[in-house]
Each structure stands twice: as structure tokens, then as C-alpha cells.
Amino acid sequence: MEAHYYNVNLSWIADRKGKMVSPELNDTIEVATPPQFPNGIEGIWSPEHLLTAAVVSCFMTTFLSIAENSKLEFTSFDCPAKGKLEQVEGKFLMTEILMEPTLVITKESDKDRAERILQKSEAACLISNSIKSKVTFISNIKY
């Protein structure tokens, strides 16, 4: 497979806020310093939110691909994720991403297979594999 490139342009707006656009995408995203830092702004996506979102959205798209290829029937997928920011040896690091997917399957007999597909999706997620943060995964399968 050839290398793929994903283009993003960030422009400073004012204070601790900027806007991100991509020539490949339709939407603009505002990004700012989170409110836990000096002059941070509430209610706007932060780099910490975006990193957490990158991990969980990659997990979902990987799951959807593997589930489709495995012909797993499900009616719902929901995955809250929480990124943990800590100061380690004087540096701020996103040390952990906790994902807690809930998957509703159509047949109880698919429960073990669904768990294996979720685990395989977590292991194959290219964003999770690209970061040094610990990725913790707690699944909940319903039928």
C-alpha cells in the first residue's frame, strides 16, 4: 500500500483559539486550549479531545470493517471514551485512553464471536497502534 496523506490547515483566530480546515473535508473545527490550562476556553474542542476522538473513531471504523467482513449482525454500537492527561517527569502526557464500547447484537449465540471481533478491532486500530498512550478497553455486549 502506498503512503496516504491527510491535510489539515490550522489558523489562529484570537486568544487561545484557532480553526482547522482540510481541503478534503467539508467542516471547520474550532480548537482551543482546554479550560484546565491558563486562559483555556470551555466548550471548544481541544487537542486532548481530538486525540481521544481519533482513537475512538479509528476503533469504531476498524470494528465496522471487521464486523462487516465477519458478517456479524448488530443493531447498535456506542463507545464512550475518556482521555487521561497527566504530568509525568515534568511533561504533560496523554497517558491513557479508556474506551468502553457497548455492542448490541441480534443473536445471543454470537456473543463470544462479537467479543473476539471487538478485541481484534482494538488490536488492529492504526491510531491506537501509533500512539504511546495506554489504551484500555472494557466491552459490554448485549442482545
Side-chain angles (χ1 to χ4, degrees):
M1 176 195 263
E2 291 183 35
H4 297 272
Y5 296 91
Y6 301 87
N7 301 291
V8 175
N9 185 49
L10 177 64
S11 299
W12 173 66
I13 296 173
D15 302 318
R16 298 283 183 102
K17 184 167 64 171
K19 74 173 181 182
M20 291 190 305
V21 297
S22 171
E24 297 122 15
L25 305 174
N26 298 326
D27 296 330
T28 298
I29 297 176
E30 283 191 331
V31 64
T33 302
Q36 297 80 10
F37 289 93
N39 301 315
I41 302 171
E42 287 192 33
I44 298 177
W45 284 87
S46 69
E48 295 80 3
H49 286 102
L50 292 169
L51 178 64
T52 304
V55 171
V56 72
S57 61
C58 182
F59 169 68
M60 181 199 71
T61 57
T62 303
F63 165 76
L64 293 174
S65 176
I66 293 172
E68 180 182 329
N69 289 335
S70 301
K71 298 185 180 6
L72 177 68
E73 294 179 21
F74 64 96
T75 59
S76 175
F77 173 92
D78 185 57
C79 191
K82 186 184 300 186
K84 183 178 182 182
L85 176 72
E86 295 183 287
Q87 194 167 11
V88 179
E89 298 177 4
K91 293 182 180 182
F92 287 104
L93 301 174
M94 293 293 288
T95 57
E96 183 177 9
I97 308 291
L98 171 63
M99 296 188 296
E100 298 184 77
T102 297
L103 177 64
V104 179
I105 56 177
T106 58
K107 295 183 275 191
E108 182 179 356
S109 60
D110 281 341
K111 186 172 183 181
D112 290 341
R113 188 164 70 96
E115 182 64 39
R116 286 191 305 274
I117 291 169
L118 285 169
Q119 290 172 355
K120 185 176 181 180
S121 301
E122 193 276 325
C125 174
L126 71 94
I127 300 296
S128 293
N129 291 330
S130 299
I131 63 173
K132 64 181 182 179
S133 305
K134 176 183 176 186
V135 177
T136 303
F137 173 83
I138 302 168
S139 63
N140 182 20
I141 299 173
K142 299 178 180 182
Y143 40 89

